[in-house]
């Protein structure tokens, strides 16, 4: 899923140096707080997020794209209202994909007009909920949905601002997931762009304000993202030419990546910034685009690095020459780390021992579920471990708990804790 390039040999150490710390006794800390103490207080397994790291990612990206785009937050990456609130307080609007995510964003304080609704299957009930709640914009992805939104708008006696999500055509530059020309359930195919524009324009309750292009997730190369965004601007101009009105919104999606595996590059924000002037020029020089709000809506990039998934060792088993560290945490809370969410070749997330021990040799870190799929790492270089020790999965702030099959084996869901300043607050209780 990621584009591997030669880079840091030991991702976990680099991440600890950059985002976390160890106390004088070698125990891992987050935001200056002891993970050991947090595990004692809140139980394991446990998700812990550092609000400062959330803010740091947001500010770095906002600074990199300043003058070109504003940065919203894609709620599905981590829908905890406390996390949404951190980004909202930084100035982010929200991209949501369900009625419940709309409610979470509103609960976090995001004004409804700063929320936009994307996703390939929006139900009439969810449309009623968000239109009734005064949502800012709905992104249309197919013909039935277009009509469903028009009908819902009619029911509410209102006009809905909409944008067209476009699945780019074969000429589009490649992205992390091969951008152009593929069949897709998401959005209107580019070949149908003008028909889709005409269909929206024929609906008096729909006000077409923009374009939405989301070309793929986990992009680690600045030049790929720049290429996708340039393509988005060209499609936006095409829509505006057809409607004869300037666009109000150009949503270039999310998809900015973070390193998960040794060898992954880190997205180079300086390179991203350096690639923007031609795009800024394109927008400025086209009167149909010059007044539009250009929006990015990343999730992973903003939330991923700030989170740790903490699990406690239940047993260490040596089986025919292999060491298995069996923990209370697993794929039921963290499907992505188990390699069963979006990976073709399963590779290990950065997993470290909370207590820095002597030596390190590869081991398999597995979970409590009755399936061989329940593995958090296949060859993690960990020190000697024993029952009661803690292991930490880094890069776990996005697509963790809510992207996992929490019902499988009926273990309670873990608590989520947000570290901010010198305190830690429970933002989701265990079992809730
Ligand atoms: C999932 C999603 C995002 C966020 O993707 P990331 O890869 O986490 O940045 C943004 N926009 C839409 C429409 C999405 O579906």
């Amino acid at each position: 899923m990621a584009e591997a390039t030669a880079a840091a040999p030991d991702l976990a150490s680099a991440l600890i140096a950059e985002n976390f710390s160890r106390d004088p006794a070698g125990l891992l800390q987050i935001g200056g707080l002891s993970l050991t103490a947090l595990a004692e207080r809140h139980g394991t397994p446990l998700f812990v997020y550092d609000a400062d790291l959330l803010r740091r990612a947001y500010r770095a990206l906002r600074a990199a794209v300043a003058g070109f785009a504003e940065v919203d937050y894609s709620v599905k990456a981590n829908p905890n209202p406390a996390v949404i609130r951190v980004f909202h307080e930084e100035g982010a609007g929200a991209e949501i994909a369900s009625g419940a995510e709309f409610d979470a964003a509103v609960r976090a304080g995001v004004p409804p007009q700063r929320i936009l609704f994307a996703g390939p299957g929006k139900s009439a009930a969810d449309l009623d909920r968000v239109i009734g709640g005064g949502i800012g914009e709905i992104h249309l992805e197919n013909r039935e949905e277009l009509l469903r939104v028009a009908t819902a708008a009619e029911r509410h006696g209102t006009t809905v601002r909409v944008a067209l999500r476009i699945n780019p055509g074969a000429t589009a530059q490649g992205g992390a997931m091969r951008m152009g020309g593929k069949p897709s359930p998401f959005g209107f195919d580019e070949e149908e762009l003008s028909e889709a524009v005409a269909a929206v324009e024929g609906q008096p309750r729909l006000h077409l304000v923009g374009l939405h292009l989301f070309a793929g997730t986990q992009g680690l190369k600045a030049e790929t993202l720049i290429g996708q965004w340039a393509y988005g601007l060209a499609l936006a101009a095409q829509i505006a030419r057809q409607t004869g009105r300037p666009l109000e919104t150009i949503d270039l999606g999310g998809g900015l990546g973070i390193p998960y595996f040794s060898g992954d590059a880190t997205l180079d924000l300086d390179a991203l910034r350096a690639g923007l002037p031609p795009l800024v020029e394109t927008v400025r020089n086209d009167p149909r685009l010059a007044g539009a709000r250009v929006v990015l809506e990343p999730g992973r990039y903003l939330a991923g690095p700030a989170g740790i998934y903490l699990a406690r060792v239940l047993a260490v088993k040596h089986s025919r020459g292999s060491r298995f560290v069996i923990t209370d945490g697993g794929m039921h809370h963290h499907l992505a780390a188990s390699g069963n969410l979006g990976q073709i070749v399963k590779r290990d997330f950065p997993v470290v021992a909370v207590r820095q021990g002597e030596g390190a040799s590869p081991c398999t870190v597995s979970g409590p579920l009755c399936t061989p799929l329940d593995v958090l790492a296949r060859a993690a270089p960990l020190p000697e471990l024993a029952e009661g020790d803690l292991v930490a999965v880094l890069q776990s702030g996005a697509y963790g708990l809510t992207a996992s099959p929490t019902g499988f084996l009926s273990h309670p869901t873990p608590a989520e804790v947000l570290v901010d300043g010198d305190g830690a607050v429970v933002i989701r209780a265990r079992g809730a």
Side-chain angles (χ1 to χ4, degrees), residues 251-277:
D251 183 340
L252 299 174
L256 292 80
I258 60 173
Y260 285 107
F261 314 116
S262 282
D264 277 356
T266 299
L267 177 61
D268 183 346
L269 289 185
D270 291 334
L272 200 60
R273 174 141 205 81
L276 290 176

Side-chain angles (χ1 to χ4, degrees), residues 96-118:
I96 55 105
S98 70
E101 286 189 355
F102 179 78
D103 293 348
V106 169
R107 226 177 309 134
V110 185
Q113 63 273 16
R114 298 226 33 219
I115 301 177
L116 61 90
F117 190 4

Side-chain angles (χ1 to χ4, degrees), residues 7 10 26 57 62-63 67 80 93 112 144 147 173 181 201 203 221 272 283 310 312 317 320 343 358 377 401 417:
D10 180 1
R62 183 179 51 195
N80 193 299
E144 290 87 342
L147 296 175
Q173 295 297 310
E201 293 286 88
Q203 292 291 341
K221 284 196 177 150
L272 200 60
V283 173
L310 204 56
R312 199 177 286 284
K317 176 184 169 178
R320 299 181 179 139
Q343 280 190 56
E358 289 302 304
L401 179 57
V417 168

Side-chain angles (χ1 to χ4, degrees), residues 42 59-60 76 86 144 161 215 237 250 257 259 270 354 380 384 414 428:
H42 303 289
R59 289 173 192 175
K76 78 170 182 289
V86 170
E144 290 87 342
R161 293 161 53 85
I250 303 171
D270 291 334
V354 168
E384 284 292 307
R428 179 207 287 259

Side-chain angles (χ1 to χ4, degrees), residues 78-161:
N78 188 327
N80 193 299
V83 171
I84 304 171
R85 184 182 295 277
V86 170
F87 293 124
H88 168 56
E89 286 172 357
E90 292 293 307
E95 179 264 330
I96 55 105
S98 70
E101 286 189 355
F102 179 78
D103 293 348
V106 169
R107 226 177 309 134
V110 185
Q113 63 273 16
R114 298 226 33 219
I115 301 177
L116 61 90
F117 190 4
K122 305 178 187 74
S123 69
D126 276 356
L127 289 171
D128 277 335
R129 193 154 155 191
V130 303
I131 292 171
I135 193 160
E137 213 168 287
I138 299 180
H139 291 187
L140 305 176
E141 309 223 9
N142 55 62
R143 203 159 287 278
E144 290 87 342
E145 183 171 283
L146 188 160
L147 296 175
R148 210 178 299 127
V149 175
T151 307
E154 182 75 42
R155 254 194 317 275
H156 288 263
T158 188
T159 302
V160 175
R161 293 161 53 85

Side-chain angles (χ1 to χ4, degrees), residues 16 53 128 152 173 262 300 327 330 334 340 345 355 375 384:
I16 289 174
L53 289 176
D128 277 335
Q173 295 297 310
S262 282
R300 187 189 308 279
T327 72
H334 204 335
N340 294 297
V345 179
R355 182 174 53 79
V375 169
E384 284 292 307

Side-chain angles (χ1 to χ4, degrees), residues 74 76-77 95 118-119 165 212 214 216-218 253-256 297-301 399:
S74 180
K76 78 170 182 289
E95 179 264 330
R165 180 163 178 183
H212 184 187
F214 177 31
T217 193
Q218 186 56 9
L256 292 80
E297 45 179 32
R300 187 189 308 279
Y301 187 85
Y399 303 110

